[in-house]
Amino acid sequence: MMKRTGISLLWGIVFTLNIFLFVACSDDDKDPTNSWNELSGTYQEKMLNPKLNNRILIVEGKSVDVQVTSADKATLTLFHFIPDFTTVAFDVDLKLTDGQYTISGEFIENGVTLIVNGFFDKYGILNIDLTRKMNLPVTGNWRLNFHTGDSGSSADVYVAVQTANPALDDVINMVAGPAVGQLIAGKVSMVNISLGEDGFFNVSWRKQGENEDTYLPEYIMQMLNIQYTMVDDQLMLAVDRNLITLAEFVVPLLDLGIRVEDVITSLSYLGGYYAIPFNLKEDGGHMTFYLSKEVVIPVIDLLIPFLVSSLPENLTPLVESLLGLLPTAEKLDVGLVFQKN
């Protein structure tokens, strides 16, 4: 009797194990085409790996909402990815290839094209690769305009000041532009800015007496990833808001005498980005890129030591007194005039 009971128990264990293994194997071998409805959700932080034009994006503060509507269609909503739009929502194609779901789609609005390609890896991470293409009036390469006169070469500097003293305004508007233009021409013979089709900004210049252009170091440009866009007819040069947060921590440690919070107040907030807003004025094939008072004053405060050190000693007191009056001005526009290459 004990022997029969032991055999029965043994067969019971084997039967149970077979059931367990069958269920487990069935789960492992389930048809992957039925798993598309598990992809819906919000991807952020460690579950998101984003790139923009082959440049790694800071993931902090960014997210992607995925809503799968069928085995071959989904809707993506991107939050804080690009400075052009705080959110971008569009439909994408969903495709199963070699057991892995991929996505692809395109968004076009207001001269901005955003192409998305990506895939969900085996860990559930959304790897998303965005290609941004710009077709805006400012897209292209621009060269700083120079004049040559009796007093030599001068960069084309735009200054428009309006204070409570019209006589002072006339002096500043007549003298400031040419004076600053001559200072610039004394340092460089050419300045080029690139507002590329990829949506990124770059700048180069040629020092006086040299034959080669100088560029900002590649590692700095890769770190800053300065992008541009147009918002309400203004050119925005934008950087990821995470870099501003980092600057708030680092700058006080460097003791540069700069209050980051003062600089931030002069910037435009674009969701995931902070941007310097440039006004534009087109005239006869030339484009003036200029800053208004709200942005100019913090910049002048930063540049005063460098400006004053570049002046002849006899002009220093006058320039310092004029600069001290500028914060009270009703209007203060300062910029440079470029022509398109």
Side-chain angles (χ1 to χ4, degrees):
M1 185 71 178
M2 285 292 295
K3 185 175 181 180
R4 182 180 296 273
T5 302
I7 293 174
S8 299
L9 180 60
L10 178 61
W11 277 111
I13 293 173
V14 171
F15 179 78
T16 302
L17 286 174
N18 280 332
I19 292 295
F20 174 79
L21 291 174
F22 175 78
V23 171
C25 290
S26 297
D27 184 67
D28 288 343
D29 296 335
K30 66 182 181 181
D31 186 353
T33 58
N34 293 328
S35 62
W36 57 266
N37 53 7
E38 300 176 4
L39 299 175
S40 294
T42 299
Y43 294 80
Q44 58 189 354
E45 298 178 351
K46 294 181 179 180
M47 301 308 294
L48 181 63
N49 181 25
K51 288 184 179 180
L52 179 63
N53 291 78
N54 292 321
R55 304 182 187 212
I56 297 174
L57 289 176
I58 302 174
V59 72
E60 182 69 28
K62 298 175 179 61
S63 63
V64 180
D65 181 69
V66 179
Q67 294 299 323
V68 179
T69 54
S70 69
D72 57 5
K73 293 291 181 182
T75 299
L76 293 189
T77 304
L78 311 180
F79 295 90
H80 304 148
F81 268 76
I82 56 176
D84 317 274
F85 310 100
T86 302
T87 62
V88 178
F90 56 107
D91 295 331
V92 296
D93 294 326
L94 190 64
K95 186 177 180 181
L96 181 63
T97 305
D98 298 328
Q100 190 175 69
Y101 275 102
T102 62
I103 54 173
S104 61
E106 185 176 85
F107 169 88
I108 302 176
E109 188 172 321
N110 296 337
V112 179
T113 299
L114 195 63
I115 302 171
V116 58
N117 289 285
F119 64 94
F120 301 86
D121 66 21
K122 63 181 180 180
Y123 303 106
I125 297 173
L126 174 56
N127 297 265
I128 188 167
D129 194 353
L130 301 172
T131 300
R132 180 164 161 259
K133 297 180 179 180
M134 310 295 283
N135 184 21
L136 301 175
V138 295
T139 299
N141 296 313
W142 298 84
R143 184 176 72 253
L144 180 61
N145 200 42
F146 283 85
H147 296 296
T148 302
D150 296 336
S151 56
S153 180
S154 175
D156 199 346
V157 176
Y158 170 73
V159 175
V161 177
Q162 181 179 341
T163 67
N165 187 335
L168 178 63
D169 296 346
D170 292 340
V171 173
I172 295 177
N173 291 324
M174 181 175 61
V175 175
V180 175
Q182 290 177 14
L183 286 175
I184 294 174
K187 300 292 184 181
V188 297
S189 61
M190 184 174 65
V191 177
N192 289 324
I193 60 173
S194 172
L195 302 175
E197 292 183 355
D198 61 358
F200 286 91
F201 164 86
N202 209 335
V203 61
S204 64
W205 61 94
R206 185 172 297 178
K207 298 178 182 178
Q208 283 291 355
E210 296 187 0
N211 297 320
E212 299 292 332
D213 293 348
T214 301
Y215 293 84
L216 289 175
E218 182 65 23
Y219 73 90
I220 290 181
M221 298 307 296
Q222 288 289 341
M223 179 184 67
L224 294 178
N225 276 341
I226 304 174
Q227 300 179 51
Y228 77 92
T229 190
M230 292 285 295
V231 178
D232 296 332
D233 296 324
Q234 288 184 308
L235 169 68
M236 300 285 180
L237 294 186
V239 297
D240 194 295
R241 68 181 183 185
N242 291 288
L243 294 177
I244 303 298
T245 301
L246 178 63
E248 289 183 286
F249 174 76
V250 173
V251 169
L253 298 179
L254 298 177
D255 194 23
L256 299 176
I258 302 173
R259 286 170 51 89
V260 178
E261 55 267 34
D262 292 339
V263 176
I264 291 177
T265 59
S266 66
L267 302 178
S268 296
Y269 183 58
L270 304 178
Y273 294 82
Y274 280 103
I276 303 174
F278 286 85
N279 297 299
L280 304 176
K281 184 172 68 171
E282 189 172 7
D283 182 22
H286 294 83
M287 183 75 78
T288 302
F289 299 83
Y290 65 97
L291 301 172
S292 61
K293 174 184 174 181
E294 293 75 18
V295 183
V296 170
I297 295 302
V299 173
I300 287 180
D301 289 342
L302 295 177
L303 295 181
I304 281 178
F306 304 100
L307 293 173
V308 171
S309 64
S310 302
L311 295 171
E313 291 186 7
N314 61 321
L315 292 179
T316 299
L318 174 62
V319 173
E320 286 182 328
S321 62
L322 290 176
L323 291 175
L325 293 173
L326 293 181
T328 64
E330 296 178 12
K331 176 182 179 180
L332 176 57
D333 296 335
V334 178
L336 296 172
V337 181
F338 288 80
Q339 53 186 323
K340 207 166 192 177
N341 285 345

